[in-house]
Amino acid sequence: MKLGYASGCFLERCKGFVIPHQVPDELKTLPVELQVERGYDYSDFKNVVSIHLPFIRYKAQEVEETTIYKKTRGVNIASLKEDSWKTDLKLFKKHIKEAAEKGVNYAVFHYGSCNCAGRLWRDEKHRSLHWIREKEFLIEISEIANNNGIRLLAENHPYRDGIFLNHIKHVSEIIRAHLAEFCLDFPHAYYRFTTFNNEDLKEIITRFKKNIIEVHLADNDGSNHAPLALDEGKIEWRKLLSMLQSHLLVIIELRENPQESLKKVHRFYEDRLK
């Protein structure tokens, strides 16, 4: 098991923009998942082991001597808009190649959806067009990733899915097509289970155990998809971690300092070795 945290733990989230804050020196040597283009870069950390490819584009701005990162648009790898699809494909390829040069092992991405106007997402034939587009995107970046020693990981996310109408089905199809493996986000899955009666975390782990390479670990109480510090919600994270493979990458992904949660996971694994 390799234990680390996400760079987004130190982002201040505001309406329409984010502000990066200083990372404590004592955490800079730990394994990090770098959320690229979101306030931090490789120079801010000493041990980037994973990158999270963009799901929102940001633009840096100076406001009253503070650098903020303003949201510009969402990234959708299944988009039918040719210009944005090609732009994002080029962007992903650039980040994957850069990650390989930095010795990074994994690249996490959000799968696509139907972002067309109206109710087209209800039409199965229309959704299939998005899936074709997403597969074309993933075929291209998986080739770049494989050639550069990067493992691609699809992350389950909490938003409406307009391709398969089921998030786990979407992940399953990506894995079945050998386009990526799985990054399991605990609070996202728990929120969808409590809100939409999707598969619970135990069912997901049982089904995808061999394909889950990384987890985004945080707690959740089901009221929304926001992550909570460990033991502040209702996820039985210790039992769930014990079900997973020993070579797992565990990334604490919070919206606050992850130090206490890191300590709890470290103690959990220490106790298992006794």
Side-chain angles (χ1 to χ4, degrees), residues 11-136:
L11 280 181
E12 180 183 348
R13 291 161 173 81
C14 306
K15 188 174 182 179
F17 64 95
V18 296
I19 304 173
H21 291 294
Q22 183 69 33
V23 178
D25 289 339
E26 61 268 26
L27 294 184
K28 287 188 175 181
T29 58
L30 293 181
V32 169
E33 180 178 278
L34 175 65
Q35 297 176 354
V36 294
E37 297 191 5
R38 206 176 182 209
Y40 300 97
D41 58 34
Y42 291 96
S43 65
D44 294 303
F45 307 97
K46 297 180 181 179
N47 189 15
V48 177
V49 296
S50 177
I51 62 168
H52 200 306
L53 292 160
F55 49 94
I56 297 174
R57 299 300 309 275
Y58 292 86
K59 184 176 181 180
Q61 288 185 220
E62 293 294 322
V63 177
E64 297 180 355
E65 300 183 353
T66 298
T67 302
I68 70 166
Y69 290 79
K70 187 176 181 180
K71 295 178 182 180
T72 57
R73 67 172 177 86
V75 171
N76 180 15
I77 68 173
S79 177
L80 301 182
K81 297 177 181 178
E82 190 71 10
D83 289 346
S84 60
W85 187 91
K86 286 183 175 179
T87 296
D88 292 338
L89 178 61
K90 183 177 180 181
L91 176 73
F92 275 39
K93 288 180 176 181
K94 177 180 78 76
H95 283 306
I96 290 169
K97 288 179 179 178
E98 183 180 20
E101 292 170 0
K102 300 290 187 180
V104 173
N105 304 118
Y106 309 108
V108 178
F109 65 90
H110 280 187
Y111 43 76
S113 63
C114 173
N115 60 343
C116 302
R119 303 171 71 84
L120 286 169
W121 64 273
R122 292 184 177 274
D123 182 82
E124 186 174 352
K125 289 183 179 179
H126 177 79
R127 294 199 311 272
S128 70
L129 296 177
H130 284 285
W131 175 229
I132 290 168
R133 228 34 199 139
E134 180 170 318
K135 282 196 292 186
E136 291 171 346

Side-chain angles (χ1 to χ4, degrees), residues 166-192:
N166 178 293
H167 286 241
I168 299 307
K169 169 69 172 175
H170 202 147
V171 172
S172 180
E173 288 298 314
I174 290 171
I175 292 171
R176 190 180 65 82
H178 304 290
L179 296 171
E181 295 168 283
F182 196 0
C183 171
L184 174 58
D185 187 295
F186 275 31
H188 290 175
Y190 185 80
Y191 169 71
R192 292 197 64 83

